[in-house]
Structures are given as C-alpha cells and as structure tokens.
Amino acid sequence: MIKELGRLISQDKRCEAAVKSIIDLSLLKFKERDELDDIVKSWSSKIPFDIEKYRDQRLRYHFKERYDYRLNLMDWDYHMDISTFSPILHVYHYKRFRQLGLCFETRMTANNVPNRTLSSYAQGKKKKSGDSCLVRGFWGDIILSPYFAFGTEVEIEPEKELFFTKASMQYKHNSVEVSQFHILHYLNKLESFQEYHHKFDEEKEEKKEEKKEEKKEEDKGEDKKEIPGSEEIPKAETKKEEIKKEESREETKSLHEDEKIDTSTQDEKSFISESEEGKFQCAKVLLPGIANQNIKIYFLSEDIPVLSAKSKFAKLFDVVVMGFYHSQDAKDKFHTILAEDSRVYIEIPKNFVGIKPEMKEACYAKARDLVTSGGLIELASPYTHHLLFTNSKDASLIRAIPQSKPEEKKDTKSETAASSRASEESISKKQMQ
C-alpha cells in the first residue's frame, strides 16, 4: 500500500490505484511532493512507532504535575463541558478515549497494531545545544475525541429523532452508534446511490430475545435447585470439571498469544491481503458514487493570502470551509478568490473544552468582524458549529435567510435584586399579619 501511494505521488506509470484518476498533484511544488512522499514512507512498519509511549508523553506534558489525577480531570471536563453541548456522548466512551486513545472497538480485537497515519514530525529544539530539529511523535487529538465528526448530530430522518430518544432521563443510544450509522449511510450512497437507515425494530427484537434467554437460564437454575439430591454432588466429579475448565482456559490463552502480531518485526504486507504472486491487489475500480460525479481532488499547500494574490484562483471557489484558526485569513483580498453567490463556512469553538462561554462568544464576535470587514454578509447557518457567510448581492436571497443575531444577555444582577426585594416584602407582610 505504501509503495502504491509513493507511485501515486511521483506519478509513476506503474501505479494501479483507482484514485489515480481523481487526484491531481500538479499544483504542488516538487519539494512539497518529496515531503509528502517522506510522510507516506514514515508509515512503514519497518520504522518503529511506539504509539503508547508517544501518547503518554503528550499526556504528561498536557497534565504536568496533575498527571496522577488525570482521571478526575477527564471526568471534570466531561461533566462541566462535554455533557452541556453533546450529552449523547457517553462518559465511558469519552474517558476511554482520553486515557487509552480507543474510540471504536471491533469485537474481540487485541488493539495492538498502531494507526501509523497519526505519526508525524514536528519542529522542536534539542535540550543541550538548542539546535532546531524534527521530532517524531504522536500529535493527534488527546482532548476532544473524534466523536464530534459523525457522532453528535444527525440530519437524516427519521434517525434525527430516534437516535436522541430518552428512557428514564438517559439516552437510549450513544455517539458510537451514531458514528457507525453515518459511515454506513455514506458508504451505501457511494456504492448503490441508496440511503441507508438504521434498523431500530431489529434492535428491539434482539433485546427481547436476549431477555427471554436470560429468563430461561434463570428458570433452569431454579429448577436444578429444586431437584432432590442435586446438592449432593461428588467431589471427584467437581474436581474433574474444574481441571477441564482450567485446561480450556490455558488453550484459549495460548491461541490468543499465537494470534498476537508483533508490529516491530513484520512488514506492512502482513497486514493486507496478498495474491498468489505475493503482490498487493489494490482497488482498480472506483465506487459508482465517485466515478459518476466527475470529481477531481487538487492538493494545495499555500496560504489563503498567497492564493488570493494569484490570478488563476480569481473567482474560482464556490464553497469554502475554514477552521476557526484560519478565520483571520478571511479578510483583505479573500473575496477575490470567491465565485458569485459563494458560501463560506467558518468553524466556531463550540465543542472546545476548557473555554468559558464568555470567551467563546468573544471568539464568535471576532470571527464575524474579520469576515464581514472583507465584504461578506452573514446568513443564518443551519449548523450550530459553523458560521455561514456569502458574497451574494441578491436581496431576495438574503431576505429569505434571516441573519443570525447574538443572544441578548440578561441582567442577572437586577433580576436577583428584584427577587430578593419581593421575598423580603412577602416576609414582612406575613409578619404584620
């Protein structure tokens, strides 16, 4: 797989990957292509990558002297932040990710093969000499979790309501199930152009069957107790059964030990399917949902101010999605790269942990000021985690979508003072009576 990606980056004719027809690297410089090739080669299993060690270093640097109390801090982050804006994310799943880095487990897997795409290099300095160098490590997320990508909001009916139903003040489903539903929905659309819907009725039937089986087992146990002489079991038979159980346990342990994979010695070919000739058979046909849409993916590495200064990008982009950090680039000549009636989505730090609501509102206001200063108009966003802007001058379009207004702050001090006065007056009246 790594060799195929390397051939794709270098535009080698021997590349047989299906994505070759939809990926274009012509806008990258040769130096940038070499850097991209180095990143892909660093994913090889021949290069050691102890993800547990690197992730623990990140956690120690993040918590510092509070490292021994990290479980309490994770619990605090969930109940004070996460549970307020994403209550469907279960505390067990969130704390498991924060502590172990695991989000989606598949059956009885050992989870001992690291995700090498999370390994990368960052600029650093040597402790003794102070010379700059590249530091290899784990630079992925250790605070928020990837559940926010697919697991906290649903826009498809009827799952939009059914996934968020409650029983005894608790959600029946969690963010793991919502994430799996979204992935299956998108894959099904790409493969067969049909929408996928979660089978809630089958889940209910499975739960009913499980309860029936549990009841049957309980009834069998009670029947055995009622049988006369059932308590008087020979000791020799019980010892034989215990020995058999221990032998079966040892056999299962040995099987699991044999199945464990040593990532330090095996090559990347051992983790993927091989043909009779021993060569990796990559996908040579695109999914219909991608092949029939005339899609082309271009890689760009330059910043927005540099792109806006080039004439070939003038009025080119119809939709722009930006992170909150890059919202500061949406000013000056940013509007020159936007096509007519374009849309600009800017992420807001709604799901950030450890930021007070007042600071979040200040961030929203700053992002609005930066974007509107460039001539864009804010529209009511259909999403709670992104702001929506447009450069359209069509008055009917702007009126059809009402502009979002910040919520008016209530004067809590005056309300508390008024309530205290009213309570004092009621007490004085009762005393007079």
Side-chain angles (χ1 to χ4, degrees):
M1 188 67 178
I2 294 171
K3 289 181 180 179
E4 287 295 322
L5 290 174
R7 291 170 182 172
L8 177 65
I9 295 167
S10 61
Q11 295 182 344
D12 194 339
K13 294 181 180 179
R14 294 176 295 174
C15 181
E16 298 178 351
V19 294
K20 181 181 179 180
S21 59
I22 63 171
I23 290 179
D24 193 338
L25 303 173
S26 60
L27 298 177
L28 292 177
K29 299 176 182 178
F30 288 105
K31 181 182 178 181
E32 295 167 346
R33 289 189 193 181
D34 293 339
E35 292 174 354
L36 188 60
D37 189 28
D38 292 338
I39 292 170
V40 172
K41 287 179 180 178
S42 67
W43 297 344
S44 173
S45 59
K46 295 178 181 179
I47 300 174
F49 178 62
D50 191 353
I51 192 169
E52 293 182 0
K53 175 185 174 182
Y54 292 136
R55 195 173 185 279
D56 186 67
Q57 290 177 356
R58 284 284 309 282
L59 293 175
R60 289 180 181 276
Y61 182 78
H62 175 69
F63 292 112
K64 295 181 180 178
E65 64 272 6
R66 300 179 296 174
Y67 177 79
D68 294 334
Y69 309 99
R70 60 189 182 279
L71 293 177
N72 297 336
L73 296 171
M74 295 170 189
D75 190 74
W76 174 272
D77 289 340
Y78 177 82
H79 287 96
M80 298 304 293
D81 291 319
I82 300 293
S83 62
T84 57
F85 49 77
S86 295
I88 196 171
L89 175 53
H90 200 275
V91 61
Y92 170 77
H93 295 143
Y94 179 72
K95 290 177 72 174
R96 183 182 61 178
F97 164 76
R98 290 287 302 271
Q99 188 178 5
L100 303 175
L102 297 176
C103 289
F104 307 100
E105 293 184 343
T106 54
R107 297 183 181 179
M108 301 298 291
T109 54
N111 294 316
N112 56 2
V113 179
N115 184 359
R116 295 183 173 273
T117 59
L118 296 175
S119 65
S120 58
Y121 292 88
Q123 293 183 356
K125 292 184 179 180
K126 296 180 180 179
K127 293 182 179 179
K128 294 182 179 180
S129 60
D131 298 334
S132 59
C133 62
L134 293 175
V135 182
R136 181 178 171 83
F138 172 82
W139 309 113
D141 179 27
I142 60 172
I143 298 174
L144 292 179
S145 82
Y147 295 117
F148 292 103
F150 296 105
T152 57
E153 295 182 0
V154 182
E155 298 178 2
I156 304 160
E157 297 289 350
E159 286 80 6
K160 186 176 182 179
E161 296 180 358
L162 295 175
F163 268 121
F164 293 89
T165 54
K166 291 184 178 180
S168 301
M169 302 299 291
Q170 295 290 332
Y171 284 100
K172 292 182 179 179
H173 304 275
N174 52 55
S175 56
V176 175
E177 296 176 5
V178 177
S179 301
Q180 291 174 351
F181 160 72
H182 276 125
I183 296 298
L184 291 172
H185 179 81
Y186 295 142
L187 290 175
N188 197 37
K189 260 194 167 181
L190 290 173
E191 188 174 3
S192 61
F193 297 98
Q194 295 178 358
E195 291 190 355
Y196 171 83
H197 293 284
H198 191 74
K199 299 176 182 177
F200 293 95
D201 297 332
E202 291 184 1
E203 283 186 354
K204 291 180 181 179
E205 292 177 359
E206 287 177 359
K207 288 180 181 178
K208 288 180 181 179
E209 290 178 358
E210 287 177 359
K211 288 181 180 179
K212 288 180 180 179
E213 290 177 357
E214 288 177 358
K215 287 182 179 179
K216 287 180 181 179
E217 290 177 358
E218 289 177 358
D219 294 337
K220 286 180 181 179
E222 290 177 357
D223 294 337
K224 285 180 181 179
K225 289 180 181 179
E226 292 176 358
I227 295 170
S230 60
E231 295 180 358
E232 297 177 359
I233 301 171
K235 292 182 180 180
E237 291 182 2
T238 55
K239 286 182 179 180
K240 287 179 181 179
E241 289 177 357
E242 289 178 359
I243 291 165
K244 287 181 180 178
K245 287 180 180 179
E246 288 179 0
E247 289 177 354
S248 63
R249 286 175 185 172
E250 289 177 358
E251 287 177 359
T252 53
K253 283 183 181 179
S254 62
L255 287 170
H256 285 302
E257 287 177 358
D258 294 336
E259 289 176 358
K260 284 183 180 178
I261 301 169
D262 189 5
T263 57
S264 60
T265 56
Q266 293 190 358
D267 193 12
E268 62 269 12
K269 290 182 180 179
S270 60
F271 301 106
I272 56 179
S273 60
E274 295 180 357
S275 64
E276 296 177 356
E277 297 176 357
K279 294 182 180 180
F280 171 63
Q281 294 291 327
C282 61
K284 297 181 181 180
V285 180
L286 290 172
L287 291 173
I290 298 175
N292 298 335
Q293 296 298 324
N294 193 19
I295 296 172
K296 202 76 172 178
I297 300 172
Y298 294 88
F299 283 76
L300 293 171
S301 63
E302 295 174 335
D303 296 330
I304 291 175
V306 179
L307 296 176
S308 59
K310 295 183 178 181
S311 59
K312 63 180 177 180
F313 296 111
K315 297 182 179 181
L316 182 63
F317 300 99
D318 295 309
V319 179
V320 179
V321 182
M322 304 173 66
F324 175 75
Y325 178 77
H326 291 282
S327 61
Q328 58 187 350
D329 296 332
K331 57 182 180 179
D332 298 335
K333 295 182 180 180
F334 172 68
H335 64 279
T336 58
I337 64 173
L338 300 176
E340 294 181 0
D341 299 334
S342 61
R343 296 289 184 271
V344 179
Y345 293 90
I346 295 181
E347 182 189 11
I348 55 177
K350 174 199 168 187
N351 300 327
F352 284 15
V353 175
I355 300 178
K356 296 180 180 179
E358 297 81 8
M359 295 178 66
K360 289 183 180 180
E361 291 178 1
C363 293
Y364 305 160
K366 187 176 181 181
R368 288 189 178 99
D369 293 339
L370 287 171
V371 179
T372 53
S373 63
L376 300 181
I377 301 170
E378 184 182 359
L379 304 178
S381 176
Y383 309 105
T384 58
H385 44 74
H386 280 78
L387 298 176
L388 175 59
F389 300 88
T390 182
N391 63 348
S392 176
K393 297 180 181 179
D394 189 355
S396 61
L397 178 63
I398 295 170
R399 288 175 186 172
I401 307 174
Q403 292 189 9
S404 60
K405 294 181 180 180
E407 296 180 357
E408 295 181 357
K409 293 183 180 180
K410 296 180 179 180
D411 192 357
T412 55
K413 292 183 180 179
S414 61
E415 289 180 357
T416 53
S419 62
S420 61
R421 287 175 186 172
S423 61
E424 288 175 0
E425 288 177 359
S426 62
I427 292 166
S428 62
K429 286 180 182 179
K430 288 181 180 178
Q431 289 176 354
M432 291 293 287
Q433 292 176 359

